[in-house]
């Protein structure tokens, strides 16, 4: 069957991994080892970090400032439990000056990834500057929903994890491709997770259509981290096929289990309260801090010479097998096009919609 015509819900051509293997891979991503990455010189580089005001995004942004980069912080107007972007901009200015960088630029631009119009406006604002973009960090994300375990859809009609953690990043990346292409060594990092190993690939349930159990909302989170890794792997393959884009490197990066503001869980009733209390206690005792979690972003930006990979903390690791399967990758590519109308918007004019194999892809991938 033509790979471009296989139904999204058709059986896969390979046996999906066992629960034991998934649990083992997920556990491997929960290492608490204290790690580091080498210092880098980012003087004069322009970096966009989406989700830059808290958690690992904030820590990565501060490190980029110390290394001399100019940074646009893409943030929503934050809730009370998150630091305000104005505060992080000041921290960046202080960090840059303390490390001898006195002519760097730091600005925060408001963008709400639960609204596609906001993502479009954010990307266009950058394009209007006419600058090349050296680095894009797709880091915005949520770990819980306003409805707790119940399905919650955005004003655009998508399940909120699906839009904020995945679709909006796809849209922003494709919008910014022309600016990335003009940079000499562009890098894109996508914050994924070892929770991809808990995900179900079934694309018929992106927005809760077939009502699979949500496991307190975590089900949608895991699914989207799986689809994001699969999408970015196919994205890299298509970039390599095009002379204009083949120097762009995109990778999925997993921070580890991090004690950060992302875990704003809301569950109802006594049982929900007990689950939240137990999770917060376990996170406090067993998770790493945001500085250690941010190392995956730094690794993706300064330590990767090839793309389409899954980086677990600071090491290239094995993703779910779906990321290596052409059919799975093409199903995700088609599904995202269907939901975001990418072809209609002209965002696939160069990368294309149909799957086209190229014989020298493996050679290029090793460069």
């Amino acid at each position: 069957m033509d790979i471009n015509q296989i139904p999204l819900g058709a059986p896969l051509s390979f046996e999906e991994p066992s629960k034991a293997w998934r649990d083992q891979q997920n556990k491997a991503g929960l290492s608490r080892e204290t790690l580091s990455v080498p210092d880098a010189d980012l003087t004069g580089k322009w970096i966009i970090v989406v989700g830059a005001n808290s958690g690992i995004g904030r820590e990565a942004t501060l490190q980029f400032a110390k290394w001399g980069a100019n940074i646009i912080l893409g943030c929503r107007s934050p809730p009370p439990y998150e630091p305000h972007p104005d505060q992080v901009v000041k921290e960046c200015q202080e960090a840059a000056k303390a490390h001898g960088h006195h002519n760097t630029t730091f600005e925060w631009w408001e963008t709400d990834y639960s609204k596609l119009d906001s993502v479009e406006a954010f990307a266009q604002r950058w394009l209007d500057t006419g600058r090349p973009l050296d680095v894009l960090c797709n880091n915005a994300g949520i770990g819980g929903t306003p409805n707790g375990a119940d399905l919650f859809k955005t004003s655009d009609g998508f399940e909120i994890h699906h839009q904020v953690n995945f679709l909006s990043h796809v849209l922003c990346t494709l919008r910014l491709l022309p600016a990335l292409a003009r940079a000499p060594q562009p890098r894109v990092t996508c914050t994924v997770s070892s929770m991809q190993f808990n995900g179900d690939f079934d694309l018929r349930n992106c927005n809760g259509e077939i009502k699979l159990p949500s496991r307190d909302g975590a089900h949608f989170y895991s699914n989207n981290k799986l689809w994001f890794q699969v999408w970015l792997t196919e994205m890299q393959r298509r970039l390599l096929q095009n002379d204009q884009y083949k120097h762009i490197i995109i990778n999925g990066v997993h921070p580890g289990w991090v004690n950060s503001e992302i875990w704003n869980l809301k569950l109802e009733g006594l049982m929900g309260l007990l689950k939240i209390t137990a999770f917060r206690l376990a996170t406090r005792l067993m998770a790493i801090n945001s500085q250690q979690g941010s190392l995956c972003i730094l690794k993706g930006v300064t330590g990767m010479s090839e793309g389409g990979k899954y980086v677990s903390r600071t090491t290239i690791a094995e993703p779910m097998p779906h990321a290596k399967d052409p059919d799975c990758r093409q199903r995700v590519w088609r599904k995202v096009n269907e939901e975001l109308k990418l072809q209609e918007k002209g965002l696939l004019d160069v990368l294309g919609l149909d799957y086209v194999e190229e014989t020298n892809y493996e050679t290029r991938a090793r460069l």
Side-chain angles (χ1 to χ4, degrees):
M1 179 180 290
D2 181 358
I3 195 173
N4 299 299
Q5 303 298 324
I6 297 175
L8 296 181
L12 302 180
S13 62
F14 61 92
E15 183 177 353
E16 296 196 77
S18 66
K19 183 180 184 301
W21 183 87
R22 289 171 180 248
D23 289 344
Q24 181 183 30
Q25 296 301 107
N26 190 12
K27 184 178 179 181
L30 305 182
S31 165
R32 299 186 66 206
E33 180 183 2
T34 299
L35 302 173
S36 63
V37 296
D39 284 334
D41 182 6
L42 298 180
T43 304
K45 301 290 187 183
W46 280 95
I47 298 178
I48 290 177
V49 182
V50 183
N53 65 300
S54 65
I56 67 171
R58 178 187 187 183
E59 292 292 337
T61 298
L62 289 172
Q63 187 60 63
F64 291 148
K66 294 175 184 178
W67 288 343
N70 304 294
I71 307 170
I72 301 299
L73 294 76
C75 311
R76 62 178 173 170
S77 182
Y81 57 84
E82 289 185 6
H84 196 280
D86 284 339
Q87 173 188 335
V88 183
V89 167
K90 291 179 181 178
E91 292 173 345
C92 287
Q93 292 168 339
E94 293 169 357
K97 290 177 181 178
H99 287 76
H101 304 289
H102 299 279
N103 297 309
T104 45
T105 299
F106 307 103
E107 299 177 4
W108 88 269
W109 296 359
E110 186 168 354
T111 184
D112 185 342
Y113 268 42
S114 69
K115 301 176 181 177
L116 295 181
D117 286 348
S118 180
V119 178
E120 294 269 14
F122 177 79
Q124 189 59 51
R125 184 175 178 180
W126 176 265
L127 294 175
D128 288 344
T129 69
R131 298 190 193 108
L133 179 59
D134 297 285
V135 175
L136 171 62
C137 298
N138 290 319
N139 178 65
I142 57 171
T145 78
N147 279 12
D150 295 330
L151 181 69
F152 182 88
K153 290 190 176 182
T154 68
S155 58
D156 294 302
F158 300 111
E159 191 278 322
I160 193 167
H161 288 93
H162 188 49
Q163 180 164 335
V164 174
N165 293 2
F166 179 36
L167 291 181
S168 289
H169 289 301
V170 171
L171 180 60
C172 189
T173 302
L174 292 174
R175 281 291 185 204
L176 291 174
L177 268 187
L180 287 161
R182 291 199 300 274
Q185 293 182 312
R187 298 290 185 269
V188 180
T189 65
C190 302
T191 302
V192 293
S193 173
S194 68
M195 286 184 72
Q196 67 177 275
F197 297 105
N198 294 330
D200 291 324
F201 182 76
D202 197 336
L203 292 164
R204 298 172 299 171
N205 196 43
C206 290
N207 300 289
E209 295 92 335
I210 56 178
K211 304 185 187 310
L212 291 177
S214 69
R215 297 202 298 269
D216 299 334
H219 191 68
F220 289 117
Y221 183 92
S222 299
N223 293 354
N224 277 273
K225 294 304 183 180
L226 170 57
W227 297 328
F228 203 1
Q229 182 67 48
V230 173
W231 177 85
L232 70 88
T233 308
E234 177 61 18
M235 177 70 169
Q236 183 67 77
R237 189 190 74 87
R238 290 173 182 253
L239 292 171
L240 287 166
Q241 289 184 338
N242 187 276
D243 288 339
Q244 180 184 354
Y245 295 149
K246 65 184 180 182
H247 62 305
I248 301 174
I249 289 178
I250 180 170
N251 284 297
V253 297
H254 161 59
W257 184 6
V258 183
N259 184 11
S260 74
E261 295 88 348
I262 191 175
W263 304 117
N264 181 39
L265 305 178
K266 293 183 180 180
L267 299 175
E268 299 296 329
L270 177 60
M271 186 57 67
L273 178 61
L274 291 174
K275 287 182 178 180
I276 291 174
T277 301
F279 180 82
R280 288 177 176 169
L281 178 61
T283 299
R284 193 175 301 118
L285 295 175
M286 302 174 62
I288 59 177
N289 61 32
S290 292
Q291 183 276 330
Q292 280 290 295
S294 72
L295 297 183
C296 68
I297 297 176
L298 306 182
K299 173 71 174 183
V301 170
T302 65
M304 295 294 293
S305 59
E306 56 184 351
K309 305 299 182 183
Y310 167 60
V311 177
S312 180
R313 299 202 62 195
T314 62
T315 304
I316 296 176
E318 186 78 7
M320 280 282 271
H322 307 71
K324 297 184 178 181
D325 181 68
D327 173 32
C328 288
R329 296 199 307 266
Q330 182 59 11
R331 290 193 204 188
V332 173
W333 195 262
R334 289 162 49 205
K335 180 64 175 180
V336 171
N337 172 69
E338 173 189 310
E339 293 187 313
L340 294 177
K341 313 300 182 190
L342 299 173
Q343 193 172 44
E344 293 178 22
K345 295 175 180 177
L347 293 176
L348 298 182
D349 287 354
V350 177
L351 297 176
L353 176 58
D354 286 349
Y355 187 95
V356 178
E357 188 58 81
E358 186 179 47
T359 55
N360 66 342
Y361 165 68
E362 293 296 335
T363 300
R364 284 186 175 182
R366 290 193 295 267
L367 296 179

